[in-house]
Amino acid sequence: MLRTNTCGELRIEHVGQQVSLCGWVQKTRKLGGATFIDLRDRYGITQLVFSDDSDAGKALGQEGFTREMVLRASGLVIERESKNKNIPTGEIEIKLQNIEVLNKAITPPFTIEDETDGGDELRMKYRYLDLRRSVVRKNLELRHRMAIETRNYLDKQNFLEVETPVLIKSTPEGARDFVVPSRMNENQFYALPQSPQTFKQLLMVSGFDRYYQIVKCFRDEDLRADRQPEFTQIDCEMSFVEQEDILQTFEGLTKHLFRAVKGIDIPEIARMSYADAMKYYGNDKPDTRFEMKLVEFNEVVKGKSFKVFDDAELVVAICAKGAAEYTRKQLDELTEWVKRPQIGATGLVYARCNAEGTFKSSVDKFYNEEELKKWGVTCGAEKGDLILVLAGAREKTQKAMSELRLEMGNRLGLRDKNKFSCLWVLDFPLLEWNEGDPNLLASLAGRWHAKHHPFTSPKPEDIELLNTNPGAVRANAYDIVINGVEVGGGSIRIHNKDLQAKMFDVLGFTKEEAQKQFGFLMNAFEYGAPPHGGIAFGFDRLCSLFGGAESIRDFIAFPKNNSGRDVMIDAPSEISQEQLKELSIDTIIKTT
């Protein structure tokens, strides 16, 4: 090997040893007749030094060391006079005897340091340079550790890792597929999997009992900080289980990861129904690091001639503890914040509970002191608290108040990234009515679609409602939420052919369509499908949570930008007419 040691391992006990190191030049500096070089590799930084007037210095000084050039350095480990307590190798340095330039380097477009001067797009274009920064490397090291510990836990639970196909069949249910043309099968296409759902169910039919896979999945949907067109799941399935078995098994995985990776012992994970999550938090993935629950105000505010409240389907409030000192300017700014299109509220009403226990509101014209005190009692306001109220259509207002609650949590410092609150959300609706979701195919508009996927089993006691009131059917499903982020979700699956056929019927599939799309699964059920269920964790999201970051891109080696582009390799890109012709795509386009 070209090196005897890495740039991160030498310590004071190695003084006197002859060593060879390899790495990149982080920086150079001249001081008092000596030249210092910080040499960096994946493991750390070691300082090299040579005297300019020494024989070695005269030879080495002619090299003209520049940032990011690749060196092999040999010399003697000595104790540093001026120690650097900020790095593990800060007590020693290498007295150079020889340097070999393994490769020169031009000046990088941004500084390769933790606090870089490169913007997001520039760093993504030169991602191979960005990955040299220790802060980015540590993210990928965390990801590696998460994967190792996941495999360790699941292996001890008798799960078997099985790879499933990447080139599969496109199905109309769910988000949009990425499609791949087949050269050997003219005018036909594969799809990239949104998940290995049907294959892992078939593995249960095959008797594999416990399956997992850390697997790439693909969805052609609108992007944001926690979405990428290709992402990774911890995908799992178990046979002969009920919901409680899966919750216990994967609560165990969650606790194991926190203990092994973060050194944290989390308590038993709380459970909440979907109905309560919507009622008290306004969304199905509540951040339970702090309270500030939503409180319905309909009964205490209506009938007082305030048209905004009287005409609203829902009037809902939150109590921000200790925020009564907010100035009028701050409250006006908050009002403008909730009126943004992303939030969608038409306005904001507030009431302060002053230090003397009196109330002052923005609607004093309509509500007297006694009536405002009822507001305080209803939402548990105390001296120094601020009550914030929104009104309007129920669903829209819940969503807006949920966003306002999170914003107030940020402003009041209640969303500490080093604090973790885990939650199971249960009893979701099985179905949702789709009026036209931009992430779903247009052909699915105006019909029921599965909130999770069409293979999710209804709660046994709700099955009969499929015939009379599909919207009231609860799913035998569960999500795991950490700090307001949905990191995993799953369900007990349908394993009965007749019930699966009924589900397809409710979703608007004809018998012919269901057979064409999912006949292989329906046929497999006739050969003895065991009761089974599973879960999939968003591995990228889980890593970003453990790493204290909001964007999953920081934990993916080569991510796409917000437009779904890889700006480093310039993808997606056009392909040649010759390739189009070979794939028969040019014929399809001309015919269309």
Side-chain angles (χ1 to χ4, degrees), residues 250-277:
F250 292 98
E251 182 165 328
L253 172 61
T254 305
K255 288 182 174 181
H256 172 78
L257 290 175
F258 271 106
R259 188 180 306 114
V261 178
K262 298 288 290 182
I264 297 172
D265 286 312
I266 61 169
E268 181 178 349
I269 298 179
R271 301 181 183 187
M272 184 182 297
S273 70
Y274 169 86
D276 281 350

Side-chain angles (χ1 to χ4, degrees), residues 96-115:
L96 282 177
Q97 295 164 342
N98 185 60
I99 278 188
E100 180 184 352
V101 176
L102 300 177
N103 217 331
K104 294 183 178 179
I106 61 174
T107 302
F110 54 87
T111 54
I112 313 298
E113 295 176 358
D114 288 358
E115 297 297 327

Side-chain angles (χ1 to χ4, degrees), residues 344-364:
T346 55
L348 175 68
V349 172
Y350 62 85
R352 293 189 184 92
C353 183
N354 298 316
E356 315 83 56
T358 59
F359 282 84
K360 180 68 177 175
S361 82
S362 56
V363 286
D364 283 349

Side-chain angles (χ1 to χ4, degrees), residues 352-568:
R352 293 189 184 92
C353 183
N354 298 316
E356 315 83 56
T358 59
F359 282 84
K360 180 68 177 175
S361 82
S362 56
V363 286
D364 283 349
K365 178 179 178 181
F366 302 94
Y367 298 91
N368 59 37
E369 179 71 18
E370 287 304 310
E371 289 165 339
L372 291 175
K373 282 184 178 179
K374 289 182 182 178
W375 290 24
V377 171
T378 303
C379 66
E382 300 171 326
K383 295 176 182 179
D385 294 346
L386 176 68
I387 300 170
L388 301 171
V389 189
L390 298 178
R394 177 170 293 275
E395 188 174 326
K396 184 177 179 181
T397 304
Q398 277 182 327
K399 180 180 180 299
M401 185 56 88
S402 170
E403 294 294 332
L404 177 57
R405 174 183 176 271
L406 294 175
E407 177 64 15
M408 290 306 297
N410 286 330
R411 296 186 183 204
L412 296 174
L414 302 175
R415 303 183 73 190
D416 181 356
K417 67 180 181 181
N418 295 311
K419 179 182 176 182
F420 297 93
S421 179
C422 305
L423 177 73
W424 286 109
V425 180
L426 312 172
D427 298 341
F428 286 84
L430 180 69
L431 304 165
E432 288 182 316
W433 186 258
N434 176 33
E435 294 290 356
D437 187 330
N439 283 319
L440 297 175
L441 296 173
S443 59
L444 295 178
R447 49 191 273 199
W448 293 107
H449 77 272
K451 186 170 179 68
H452 281 74
H453 53 62
F455 315 108
T456 297
S457 175
K459 287 277 189 178
E461 59 269 31
D462 290 355
I463 289 175
E464 289 302 317
L465 291 173
L466 285 170
N467 297 311
T468 57
N469 188 8
V473 179
R474 294 169 300 160
N476 206 344
Y478 31 83
D479 280 358
I480 186 166
V481 177
I482 303 177
N483 292 359
V485 177
E486 177 204 330
V487 296
S491 67
I492 298 298
R493 322 301 187 189
I494 297 170
H495 68 281
N496 175 277
K497 181 182 178 182
D498 293 336
L499 181 56
Q500 187 65 73
K502 177 63 179 177
M503 183 68 169
F504 286 140
D505 179 56
V506 172
L507 293 171
F509 288 82
T510 65
K511 289 182 179 180
E512 293 74 21
E513 287 172 337
Q515 182 62 33
K516 181 179 178 181
Q517 295 292 339
F518 302 108
F520 64 93
L521 185 64
M522 304 278 277
N523 294 340
F525 284 175
E526 295 194 278
Y527 290 92
H532 60 283
I535 192 169
F537 285 79
F539 188 55
D540 310 297
R541 289 185 184 179
L542 204 54
C543 290
S544 66
L545 268 170
F546 273 56
E550 293 185 2
S551 174
I552 65 173
R553 292 194 316 196
D554 298 332
F555 295 82
I556 298 173
F558 298 101
K560 308 290 188 294
N561 67 9
N562 288 338
S563 301
R565 295 196 63 82
D566 186 325
V567 294
M568 183 182 68

Side-chain angles (χ1 to χ4, degrees), residues 261-380:
V261 178
K262 298 288 290 182
I264 297 172
D265 286 312
I266 61 169
E268 181 178 349
I269 298 179
R271 301 181 183 187
M272 184 182 297
S273 70
Y274 169 86
D276 281 350
M278 295 304 296
K279 178 179 179 180
Y280 295 118
Y281 297 95
N283 67 57
D284 58 6
K285 46 183 185 298
D287 186 344
T288 51
R289 281 174 292 181
F290 62 104
E291 284 289 322
M292 209 184 296
K293 291 180 180 178
L294 278 60
V295 180
E296 189 166 313
F297 259 27
N298 284 27
E299 290 187 8
V300 295
V301 299
K302 292 204 171 191
K304 304 297 179 182
S305 301
F306 185 44
K307 188 174 175 60
V308 172
F309 286 172
D310 289 345
D311 292 349
E313 180 183 5
L314 174 68
V315 183
V316 66
I318 56 173
C319 178
K321 293 292 181 182
E325 74 269 10
Y326 264 39
T327 64
R328 179 60 184 269
K329 182 179 179 181
Q330 286 176 299
L331 290 167
D332 287 345
E333 187 273 328
L334 204 57
T335 301
E336 292 305 311
W337 188 90
V338 301
K339 290 165 71 173
R340 296 183 309 156
Q342 305 96 305
I343 309 302
T346 55
L348 175 68
V349 172
Y350 62 85
R352 293 189 184 92
C353 183
N354 298 316
E356 315 83 56
T358 59
F359 282 84
K360 180 68 177 175
S361 82
S362 56
V363 286
D364 283 349
K365 178 179 178 181
F366 302 94
Y367 298 91
N368 59 37
E369 179 71 18
E370 287 304 310
E371 289 165 339
L372 291 175
K373 282 184 178 179
K374 289 182 182 178
W375 290 24
V377 171
T378 303
C379 66

Side-chain angles (χ1 to χ4, degrees), residues 2-3 20-23 25 37 39 48 60 63 65 69-74 96-104:
L2 294 180
R3 60 187 178 184
S20 292
L21 306 180
C22 293
V25 174
I37 301 172
L39 194 67
L48 316 177
L60 299 173
E63 293 292 348
F65 303 108
M69 70 189 314
V70 188
L71 303 181
R72 178 174 185 255
S74 301
L96 282 177
Q97 295 164 342
N98 185 60
I99 278 188
E100 180 184 352
V101 176
L102 300 177
N103 217 331
K104 294 183 178 179

